[in-house]
Amino acid sequence: KKNEAAAPDKIIVSVARVATLADAFARTWRRSPTELELQGLVEDYVRDEVLYREGRAAGLDRDDPIIRRRVRQKMEFLAEDIAAVEPSDEELAAYLESNSDRFRTEERLTFRHVFLSATRRGSTLNADAKEMADTLARTSAAADEASIGDAFLLGEKFREMSQSEVTRTFGEGFAKQLSVMEPGHWQGPIQSGFGVHFVFIDGRTKGGLPPFKAVREAVQREWLNARRIEAEEKLYRTLRDRYQIVKETPLKGAASETAR
């Protein structure tokens, strides 16, 4: 510690420190970190050390783990203060245009289904599906799905369900087939991990980029967060450039300087 005080512009990442970081990762995730993950752990340690030393130099010195974390947080809050500027509508509209995929809404489907359980039907599933196809061809749109098919845990009717929700519930293959079906009549069978389904699409709500006014608050949150991250990283890089980072190698205690 005396050497650190005498040369505050040097941060040494010892072999023991790297081992400690790797051990902490292994205890949390129950596996050793990859080389890339270990580099990230070391860089985070360097970031913590830089911000702590800068905070200590500002008179917040007290060698306590809780205070150490608070010093780092205060330095990061400083970056937030730097970034705390109220954006104009023009800036937000430009951000929305540049990051439209973050705010684009998915297409939503309202549909019903008649379900035939693979577990319940077993070897008769395919034959039962053919019979059900014939039955539904003669059935009006107002069919009682629950009475003519098997009970489905999540029910027989789904309202305003997004493509990603359909995928999570029924599987990717089912969702892809459903996405190209026309509304207004029974279609199927469509396979899922549960069995087979016959689907009646009642309505389809197109997705797309909402009007700026409808998403202004969300865009502003994203814009402010991006500014905060940018300012925090800029501040950290400015501070980090004041330090020489030396990472020890495990070979006979030799030290080699890493790139800044």
Side-chain angles (χ1 to χ4, degrees):
K1 289 186 177 178
K2 287 182 178 179
N3 288 337
E4 278 189 10
D9 60 336
K10 180 179 289 189
I11 294 175
I12 297 176
V13 184
S14 66
V15 173
R17 174 62 64 183
V18 174
T20 299
L21 295 172
D23 288 344
F25 181 97
R27 285 195 301 271
T28 301
W29 300 103
R30 300 189 182 280
R31 64 173 177 83
S32 298
T34 64
E35 183 177 348
L36 187 60
E37 287 169 334
L38 189 57
Q39 289 175 1
L41 293 171
V42 170
E43 182 56 38
D44 192 62
Y45 167 76
V46 170
R47 176 185 287 261
D48 189 75
E49 185 67 18
V50 167
L51 296 179
Y52 173 67
R53 292 190 189 188
E54 291 295 324
R56 186 177 63 187
L60 300 172
D61 183 24
R62 192 172 148 203
D63 197 9
D64 179 284
I66 295 175
I67 299 300
R68 186 184 183 92
R69 285 196 296 271
R70 287 179 180 172
V71 167
R72 173 171 175 169
Q73 288 170 355
K74 285 180 180 179
M75 295 300 293
E76 290 172 346
F77 288 157
L78 175 60
E80 290 187 29
D81 289 339
I82 295 171
V85 177
E86 190 70 18
S88 67
D89 281 358
E90 289 74 15
E91 288 174 307
L92 293 180
Y95 185 83
L96 174 61
E97 184 177 353
S98 299
N99 299 273
S100 58
D101 287 346
R102 296 186 186 182
F103 304 96
R104 196 177 299 278
T105 60
E106 293 184 79
E107 179 181 77
R108 292 186 173 272
L109 292 172
T110 296
F111 65 94
R112 295 167 276 152
H113 72 135
V114 172
F115 172 59
L116 299 180
S117 168
T119 301
R120 180 176 175 181
R121 305 275 173 164
S123 60
T124 67
L125 179 63
N126 290 336
D128 291 347
K130 290 180 181 178
E131 185 177 338
M132 183 60 68
D134 293 337
T135 300
L136 290 173
R138 302 187 300 270
T139 303
S140 69
D144 185 352
E145 298 86 6
S147 65
I148 63 177
D150 298 329
F152 189 69
L153 181 63
L154 299 177
E156 285 71 44
K157 298 180 180 180
F158 300 88
R159 183 170 180 79
E160 292 289 313
M161 203 173 191
S162 70
Q163 181 81 358
S164 57
E165 290 170 335
V166 174
T167 300
R168 285 195 298 271
T169 303
F170 296 97
E172 187 175 357
F174 181 100
K176 284 183 177 179
Q177 290 189 63
L178 202 65
S179 68
V180 297
M181 286 184 171
E182 294 296 326
H185 61 97
W186 286 104
Q187 297 168 86
I190 307 175
Q191 290 189 336
S192 76
F194 306 106
V196 298
H197 310 254
F198 292 84
V199 176
F200 190 102
I201 298 177
D202 291 288
R204 190 187 298 274
T205 304
K206 290 185 177 181
L209 192 62
F212 172 70
K213 288 184 179 180
V215 292
R216 188 188 186 285
E217 284 190 24
V219 174
Q220 181 169 338
R221 284 196 301 271
E222 289 284 337
W223 186 92
L224 289 171
N225 187 56
R227 278 230 9 150
R228 178 188 62 79
I229 293 172
E230 181 184 356
E232 183 179 310
E233 189 61 28
K234 184 176 181 180
L235 174 63
Y236 169 64
R237 283 295 164 188
T238 299
L239 298 176
R240 192 183 188 277
D241 285 344
R242 302 178 186 178
Y243 294 84
Q244 177 189 12
I245 311 301
V246 178
K247 182 178 177 182
E248 291 183 348
T249 67
L251 299 175
K252 299 180 181 180
S256 61
E257 185 175 327
T258 64
R260 284 194 174 191

